[in-house]
Amino acid sequence: MIKKAFLGLATPQINYETLPAHLPETEKLPAPKTITLYHPKDDAYNVASTLAIGDSVNTGQKLALYADEKNYVISPISGRIASLSPYTGDFAKGYVAITIARDDTETFDETFQQKNQTPSLELLCDYLAGAPGNPPLDVLANSNGNIKTIIIRGLDPDPTVDTSQYIAQTRMKDLKKGIQILKEVTDVQDVVLFTAGETVQGYGHIGARVAGVKTQYPAALPPMVMKEVLGQVLPAGKTCEDLGVCFFSAEAVISIGSAFESGKIPTSKTLTFIKKDGTYRIIETCTGTPIRNILEAYDEAVNEFDRIILGGPMTGSAVYALDHPVRPDTDAVIVVDRDKAAYASDYPCINCGECVRICPALIQVNMLVRFLEANQYEEAADNYDLYSCIECGLCSYVCVSKIPIFQYIKLAKYELERAKMSEAANA
Ligand code: SF4
Ligand code: SF4
């Protein structure tokens, strides 16, 4: 257990922590009695689902709502489906929440083991897209060979979150195997592992180039890594994939490596758990574990208005229900005391310029925010560089009026994307 003090940061200079060379084992939580998995659902979800309450499931089994469905989730436990219910996530994204009640006896699904002798991208997409770390296999599969570089995050994008760095340092065998498999099933030969500048030693045999980035936030965000490691500037409105680059977390790669080493689809999620007092642990729990179970395991009482953040303190999002599950991409669970939580306000902008001075994308944030507050998203995009924003959250962090600028930016991009898709569908 280590003490952190990210909540007491007084200056806008926020640094990534570098972990020592020798690290303790993760703290492993037992599988809970029930777990919940969020299966993405199209609007068309109806009673014709192939899944039903009472169905028996095995550990590592793929669960898809329909026989020909490309989306699926992986059951981390053996048991029976206890409920299927609609769930609405961030930005109104629809899911079906599949709750599974655990049996006392564990039975592993052997379908993957029977097929894993010959790795292929198709096999990876079929079985490992929902594995811990959320490997972005669909990006590789849909790129038509345009992805030429894979960048592996050995440093988490947010400060105080140590999951990727921990995994990169402690799971080198699986990391090496995962890199080898990725090279084998794609045409990508340029694989780069990046980590905090001073910790690049010790990865010589990994099968990838190793690069260090600065230890000051937001150096580990993809656009910054593109610039520092590849020397490429991400043009406004373009994605890393548009430039032929795909980012994997270290955990996504070790999920692939360990699946082919062991023949079993991994179901255990590693994450950084930070308590209200700033102490933190690297823990392992199965995907689908309700946040409540983690809090109970560490005697962390949550009071009204305390905040629970999934992901990092800069770019993560708050959840409002303790039964919210750990998902394959949940790299951190942070509990913030209500007295220390940064609440948004409806104070007006006082034009102090703090947001402009800190913005790494050199955006006139004080002007941008005026258009975002007025829901004038197209003007914000056309005239005030909305699409140059790298979503670091620093403007919200320093804003003296506590304007939720970062949230406005994400909402604006989402609304513009939705409008674009609706236009395309009606064309
Ligand atoms: S989140 Fe704010 S500070 Fe960060 S790049 Fe976007 S506008 Fe600039
Ligand atoms: S930091 Fe906040 S108050 Fe200051 S100029 Fe930016 S938006 Fe306005």
Side-chain angles (χ1 to χ4, degrees), residues 107-181:
T107 313
F108 283 92
D109 184 85
E110 291 180 353
T111 322
F112 177 72
Q113 192 161 28
Q114 288 158 3
K115 296 190 176 183
N116 85 351
Q117 303 305 322
T118 318
S120 67
L121 187 51
E122 195 183 0
L123 181 67
L124 266 64
C125 291
D126 271 357
Y127 288 93
L128 296 173
N134 235 12
L137 297 165
D138 55 332
V139 174
L140 293 179
N142 298 332
S143 78
N144 294 322
N146 288 333
I147 297 294
K148 301 294 181 206
T149 302
I150 290 176
I151 296 189
I152 303 169
R153 281 199 325 255
L155 180 66
D156 289 274
D158 268 47
T160 76
V161 180
D162 292 334
T163 307
S164 295
Q165 203 183 153
Y166 179 91
I167 286 172
Q169 283 184 220
T170 57
R171 301 282 304 274
M172 285 205 199
K173 186 167 164 249
D174 287 331
L175 192 59
K176 186 177 176 183
K177 178 77 180 177
I179 291 168
Q180 179 208 317
I181 300 276

Side-chain angles (χ1 to χ4, degrees), residues 294-309:
I294 299 175
L295 301 178
E296 284 173 2
Y298 291 103
D299 292 327
E300 181 74 334
V302 176
N303 302 312
E304 201 176 3
F305 301 122
D306 287 347
R307 190 170 284 181
I308 296 171
I309 297 168

Side-chain angles (χ1 to χ4, degrees), residues 253-312:
V253 180
I254 65 130
S255 280
I256 294 168
S258 80
F260 282 91
E261 281 289 340
S262 68
K264 289 179 182 164
I265 297 176
T267 54
S268 184
K269 179 76 187 92
T270 302
L271 59 89
T272 308
F273 174 54
I274 305 179
K275 295 178 73 173
K276 280 191 265 189
D277 63 5
T279 55
Y280 89 110
R281 297 163 165 79
I282 305 290
I283 66 171
E284 255 184 80
T285 187
C286 66
T287 48
T289 299
I291 301 298
R292 181 193 312 283
N293 288 54
I294 299 175
L295 301 178
E296 284 173 2
Y298 291 103
D299 292 327
E300 181 74 334
V302 176
N303 302 312
E304 201 176 3
F305 301 122
D306 287 347
R307 190 170 284 181
I308 296 171
I309 297 168
L310 300 190

